[in-house]
Amino acid sequence: MKSDQADQIWFNGRLKTMDPHFPYAEALAIRRGRILAVGTNSDVLNLVGPGTVKYDLFGKFIMPGLIESHTHALLGACQDLFDVFVDYHASFDELVHAVKDRVKKNVPGEAVFGGPWRLDMRPQMGSNPRKVLDQISCVHPIVLQDTSQHILWCNTLAMQLGGISKDASDIAGGVIERDRATGEPNGILAEAAGTGPRQLYKRTSEQLETASRAFNDYFNRLGITSFKEPMALEADMVAYKAADDRGDLTLHMAAHLVRESPFEHVSYDKLEEMRDRFSNGNIRTSFAKLFLDGVVPGHTASFIDPYLASSGYDLASHDPDSTLLITPKELNETVTELDRRGFVTKMHAVGDNAIRKGLDAIEVARHTNGNNNLRHEIAHSVFVSDQDLLRFKELNAIAEISPKLWFPNAATSAQIQMLGEDRLKKSHRIRDLLEAGAELTYASDWPASAPDANPWTGLAGMLSRQDALGRFEGTLASDQAISLSQALPLFTINGARSLGMEQETGSLSVGKWADFIVLINDLTKQSWQEIGLTQVETTVWKGRIVHSNI
């Protein structure tokens, strides 16, 4: 075949390219997995050769494959495949029943892991929640995560095996809730306090291989062609690399290697060794991860102003920095050193104080290293203060918008209980950040605080601040809704830039990988409700059809 002849031609369609120089087209040609031409039917069909495969789209809609900037892919697949997992709006009784069923199936001593539970279930747990689980089993360790996956509910055996005795001392960077009458741990552990019990449930290599295939197929069905793993430990990277080596990974991938988390500390030299060992043509590893604070339901997210007293918060003891998981001085030094070593750093930050401290650290790194090329990220960016909106643009930092909490959901009542309705009106300030010139990326954070990785309900939520599937009524900060033209870059070209792949994917442009999806209907002509119900007909990755409903 001649060099100007195509391997494939997709024609007679409605193409939204996300390329500002050529935003719409009718056809595209592919050669060796990359886009050879984009244009009119007549122009592109001139590239037909003896071996060209032609796909008549009959007016269907094509756009770039979606890019997910924060999803725990292996964790989510393992949760769905192997754990006790009830829906995010399941009742307390349904969760308890599911745990009882699993206990009957497991041999004594085998851990039961799962969830999720919500803050509104706490009254049903009683004053000593571990006793509820002890009544289910005293011979199986039971560890249940809340919707955020930052807070654990454990039975006594799980705490004992995890190093939490009845006279356990407080743990730095963690919270051990205690029975008010006895002072003993009551089974609720947040952040670093849950490290021990989390170690009780190890995935086998066979489970990880199965999970790798499952999340890959799941993402391809959703139209996702690239993703970022936001919290990768060495065992995770072994599994991801093995999946890619087997040919099971039909996704572009980047991984933020954990430097500091409530559960792990990794040296700089180890990070560099892992970066070198796991990086290849499809997996990018020049990324690092830090945790600056926790989550709202555990009073562990770091806020400038205190939580509501009615939520059980001690106003007299309020100190914004006391809930930081890393001191400002250490954070500045860490981000500066990671920047110097060439790592793009993603910082988990929910509260406005944590976000501010993350931006402060990026500013210190800019002044110290004089490097403005590494575009560090504030993950979640839930509660950005007015004073910090403009700083994202000034510092060339990314506001990652996740998880899918910008519309009413199972966690909304807990947020209101802790912070009040007024503060929630200034949460997930997508429109304000865009108007301040910030660059944003989309992330689901599945399976943490998101029951699924479906990007279409996330997109619909950006457009409406409502739940597209009708599970929860009302709106959340309705003034922060944005248009489809404003939202799509977060899922495509912005996501590509966050992976360092802006020259390779994110738009349908000549020379880039042929990563695209086919939809029956024109996305630009649909309501937000219809967008939330989108089903992808075909997903193409590097010129390969990796999913098809035809």
Side-chain angles (χ1 to χ4, degrees), residues 31 39 93 103 126 132 136 158 185 193 202 235 299 303 332 386 410 422 427:
R31 182 174 176 81
D93 289 342
V103 163
V132 175
I136 297 175
K202 296 287 188 181
H299 285 141
F303 285 95
N332 294 345
D386 291 344
D422 287 343
S427 66

Side-chain angles (χ1 to χ4, degrees), residues 257-524:
L257 308 176
V258 171
R259 160 64 183 175
E260 296 272 5
S261 83
F263 329 113
E264 194 85 14
H265 170 86
V266 179
S267 71
Y268 294 117
D269 289 344
K270 179 66 174 180
L271 284 181
E272 291 195 330
E273 184 274 327
M274 289 174 61
R275 173 170 62 184
D276 294 342
R277 177 158 43 114
F278 295 115
S279 178
N280 62 22
N282 194 44
I283 301 177
R284 291 152 181 81
T285 53
S286 291
F287 302 86
K289 178 65 177 290
L290 303 173
F291 281 79
L292 307 193
D293 67 348
V295 292
V296 171
H299 285 141
T300 55
S302 181
F303 285 95
I304 298 168
D305 295 324
Y307 292 86
L308 296 180
S310 59
S311 70
Y313 189 73
D314 181 6
L315 298 181
S317 66
H318 178 65
D319 173 7
D321 288 356
S322 67
T323 44
L324 292 173
L325 297 175
I326 180 171
T327 67
K329 180 177 183 296
E330 184 183 357
L331 176 60
N332 294 345
E333 293 171 350
T334 301
V335 174
T336 298
E337 182 62 15
L338 290 169
D339 181 87
R340 187 186 71 80
R341 292 174 182 247
F343 286 94
V344 172
T345 302
K346 184 190 290 287
M347 291 173 266
H348 169 108
V350 172
D352 53 8
N353 185 57
I355 293 169
R356 178 169 296 175
K357 293 302 191 294
L359 292 170
D360 289 346
I362 295 172
E363 186 171 358
V364 171
R366 299 290 190 230
H367 289 316
T368 303
N369 296 334
N371 176 13
N372 199 42
N373 296 323
L374 297 181
R375 302 166 67 251
H376 304 298
E377 305 176 12
I378 303 296
H380 311 311
S381 301
V382 185
F383 294 93
V384 181
S385 68
D386 291 344
Q387 296 91 324
D388 292 322
L389 287 170
L390 290 170
R391 299 183 70 198
F392 286 90
K393 180 180 180 181
E394 293 168 353
L395 295 169
N396 194 27
I398 303 303
E400 175 210 281
I401 301 299
S402 73
K404 291 193 291 185
L405 294 179
W406 45 74
F407 54 84
N409 60 86
T412 303
S413 62
Q415 300 269 356
I416 293 173
Q417 180 180 335
M418 293 289 187
L419 300 170
E421 292 188 7
D422 287 343
R423 207 175 320 187
L424 249 65
K425 292 176 182 177
K426 300 191 78 172
S427 66
H428 299 288
R429 303 176 67 177
I430 302 176
R431 176 177 290 278
D432 288 345
L433 284 162
L434 287 174
E435 290 179 351
E439 182 162 321
L440 279 60
T441 57
Y442 164 78
S444 69
D445 197 18
W446 178 68
S449 295
D452 56 61
N454 186 344
W456 303 103
T457 54
L459 174 57
M462 282 187 183
L463 308 182
S464 66
R465 307 292 288 208
Q466 298 182 50
D467 177 14
L469 300 183
R471 298 161 298 186
F472 301 93
E473 296 182 353
T475 60
L476 185 62
S478 59
D479 64 318
Q480 295 302 312
I482 60 174
S483 67
L484 182 65
S485 62
Q486 290 174 308
L488 285 182
L490 279 66
F491 294 77
T492 54
I493 53 178
N494 291 9
R497 279 165 55 82
S498 77
L499 270 75
M501 295 186 65
E502 60 267 32
Q503 303 302 319
E504 298 181 73
T505 192
S507 67
L508 304 181
S509 305
V510 173
K512 291 188 177 183
W513 289 114
D515 302 331
F516 60 88
I517 56 177
V518 180
L519 309 178
I520 294 175
N521 298 311
D522 187 335
L523 200 69
T524 65

Side-chain angles (χ1 to χ4, degrees), residues 242-256:
D244 195 47
D245 289 343
R246 290 192 305 269
D248 290 341
L249 195 63
T250 56
L251 297 152
H252 303 293
M253 176 185 171
H256 285 267

